[in-house]
Amino acid sequence: MKIIKYNNCSDIDVMFLDEYCYVVHKAAYVNFRNGCIKNPYDKVTYNVGYTGCGKYMTSINGVATDAYNTWHNLLRRCYSDSAKDKFPAYYGICTVCKQWHNFQNFAEWFENNKYDVNERLHIDKDILYPGNKIYCPDTCILVPQSINMLFMNKPNKRGLPNGISLTKTGKYDVKYCKKKLGRYNSLEDAFLVYAKEKKNAIVKIAEEYKNIIPIRVYNALIDYDLRIDIDKNYVA
């Protein structure tokens, strides 16, 4: 950064020497000398995200906003070295579009897409486009936590889709929410049964939330297609 205007030691204008050329007005020289003037375009959030300049606040009265919490957790899942073991299905696999590296852009999308529901809203990238690995405005929707839980696919060590296990006889047992759905000769047949049961659960909760969630979210749930070739634990 450099001083572009000097009125007195308590009133200087400082410009950061990056692509944004952001200017801080009426700064104190001592803060300039000590490197304490903050650049809102510094990529301080996991070396990717920055707060940017605009009307959207990261916190209000010391409490982080919902938009900021969602944005911060999103970048953490995709880019935090310290969290890579906690989010193996995201780190190094999923990315956030450059537009959303700027918190202001993400917050605008969040505020325009949020809705009132008596639970936390989660951001989802897979419901509209199963298998999608990029978080961006065109691929993401906000869904209630109860709905998002249906789409969580926690990686397991069996190398098989969740809900399916291989028996000692080489057949496949199927369960959904502890409900036994039978034993099948092939993985494909087992997955079809599992997918049908899960799709029924998705449609059921979509109907329960129909008058609460936006029509785009409702339609995405009704149209959702479970596919074995995009399962995080198994690729056909």
Side-chain angles (χ1 to χ4, degrees):
M1 57 184 173
K2 71 175 181 179
I3 298 173
I4 58 173
K5 184 177 181 181
Y6 186 98
N7 294 318
N8 57 61
C9 63
S10 299
D11 183 5
I12 63 174
D13 291 350
V14 175
M15 182 174 71
F16 289 96
L17 305 179
D18 57 16
E19 60 182 300
Y20 301 101
C21 297
Y22 180 74
V23 176
V24 176
H25 299 280
K26 298 185 180 299
Y29 176 76
V30 65
N31 290 333
F32 171 83
R33 183 186 63 195
N34 295 334
C36 296
I37 301 175
K38 293 184 178 181
N39 180 0
Y41 293 97
D42 275 346
K43 297 177 180 179
V44 295
T45 306
Y46 306 114
N47 297 315
V48 173
Y50 51 93
T51 57
C53 292
K55 65 180 182 180
Y56 297 103
M57 307 292 291
T58 59
S59 64
I60 298 176
N61 296 326
V63 179
T65 62
D66 290 341
Y68 180 77
N69 277 332
T70 304
W71 177 77
H72 186 272
N73 289 332
L74 184 61
L75 295 179
R76 177 171 176 252
R77 287 199 297 269
C78 296
Y79 301 110
S80 172
D81 290 334
S82 62
K84 61 183 179 181
D85 293 333
K86 185 175 181 180
F87 303 105
Y90 295 90
Y91 182 86
I93 298 174
C94 299
T95 59
V96 179
C97 69
K98 288 187 177 181
Q99 180 182 352
W100 278 2
H101 292 183
N102 185 338
F103 168 70
Q104 296 299 317
N105 294 333
F106 177 84
E108 181 178 23
W109 176 88
F110 184 91
E111 294 298 327
N112 288 337
N113 286 273
K114 73 177 184 179
Y115 47 93
D116 292 330
V117 60
N118 194 28
E119 56 189 284
R120 182 182 173 187
L121 287 173
H122 288 215
I123 186 168
D124 185 277
K125 62 174 176 47
D126 299 291
I127 296 178
L128 286 178
Y129 301 98
N132 172 51
K133 295 180 174 58
I134 302 174
Y135 286 95
C136 70
D138 294 332
T139 63
C140 292
I141 54 176
L142 294 173
V143 296
Q145 181 172 333
S146 298
I147 292 178
N148 191 59
M149 294 296 290
L150 287 178
F151 293 88
M152 292 186 67
N153 190 2
K154 186 177 181 180
N156 62 59
K157 297 180 180 180
R158 302 190 312 275
L160 293 171
N162 286 320
I164 299 176
S165 59
L166 183 63
T167 69
K168 293 181 179 179
T169 60
K171 295 187 177 183
Y172 298 89
D173 283 342
V174 182
K175 289 182 180 179
Y176 183 75
C177 292
K178 299 182 180 180
K179 178 183 176 181
K180 294 182 179 180
L181 301 175
R183 179 170 293 180
Y184 301 87
N185 292 324
S186 71
L187 177 60
E188 290 73 18
D189 288 343
F191 186 82
L192 286 175
V193 173
Y194 173 83
K196 181 179 179 181
E197 189 72 16
K198 186 168 183 176
K199 181 59 183 288
N200 288 338
I202 293 171
V203 171
K204 180 180 178 181
I205 200 169
E207 295 298 337
E208 292 174 357
Y209 279 78
K210 185 174 183 178
N211 295 324
I212 302 174
I213 58 179
I215 188 63
R216 184 178 185 228
V217 177
Y218 172 80
N219 288 337
L221 296 174
I222 296 299
D223 296 337
Y224 186 78
D225 183 27
L226 286 96
R227 292 161 38 196
I228 194 171
D229 61 305
I230 59 172
D231 189 277
K232 291 184 175 66
N233 300 302
Y234 176 85
V235 178

